[in-house]
Amino acid sequence: VALVLGIAGISPDVVLGAPVAAWAQNKTWLVDHSLVLASSNDWATLYQQLGVSVQYHVPSNNGATLPQYLPVKFSIRLGAGEDAPAPLPYLATGAAAQLGDAEYSKTALFEFAVRATSSPLDIAFPDMTQAVGKF
């Protein structure tokens, strides 16, 4: 990434809310990616090394079958400043309303498995939609 940014003359310290060229001002940029939900039968691995594994999955809150990967997006109105909110939701409202609490499991050799459940997910995903210019 540093090489690509260097070729384009962009410092790695530049945030999304930084000033932009006039042609880009007020255009909305969508950075699409996937939220890995996994499933109760096929957990996603966050970390695995030397006999230690941390996995998770996000079940639905209504018994429905969720896809393993859910399309999501960061969005920003270019040139809006560091404190600007995202102009679009991170996740489609209908899909967000179906998400249950994330379940985590840690296993290690010669230890009992440890399980934990997250607090209820905020379907507005405020960490992904507020002050996005600081990303």
Side-chain angles (χ1 to χ4, degrees):
V1 172
L3 177 63
V4 172
L5 291 175
I7 291 170
I10 300 171
S11 166
D13 299 327
V14 172
V15 294
L16 292 179
V20 296
W23 64 266
Q25 185 71 34
N26 293 321
K27 288 186 171 58
T28 300
W29 184 25
L30 305 178
V31 182
D32 305 324
H33 55 286
S34 295
L35 182 62
V36 179
L37 300 179
S39 70
S40 57
N41 297 328
D42 189 21
W43 289 47
T45 300
L46 288 172
Y47 174 84
Q48 186 170 5
Q49 184 176 3
L50 300 174
V52 177
S53 177
V54 178
Q55 298 178 314
Y56 78 99
H57 77 113
V58 181
S60 72
N61 61 12
N62 60 9
T65 300
L66 296 173
Q68 188 168 2
Y69 300 96
L70 199 59
V72 292
K73 68 195 166 300
F74 294 113
S75 63
I76 186 163
R77 190 168 316 282
L78 297 174
E82 290 187 19
D83 294 320
L88 299 167
Y90 180 67
L91 174 63
T93 306
Q98 294 186 43
L99 297 180
D101 304 337
E103 298 176 11
Y104 297 88
S105 174
K106 176 193 170 215
T107 56
L109 291 176
F110 311 113
E111 294 181 18
F112 290 106
V114 177
R115 290 192 175 230
T117 301
S118 72
S119 54
L121 296 174
D122 182 340
I123 64 171
F125 288 91
D127 292 338
M128 307 298 182
T129 58
Q130 296 175 0
V132 295
K134 293 180 181 176
F135 289 2

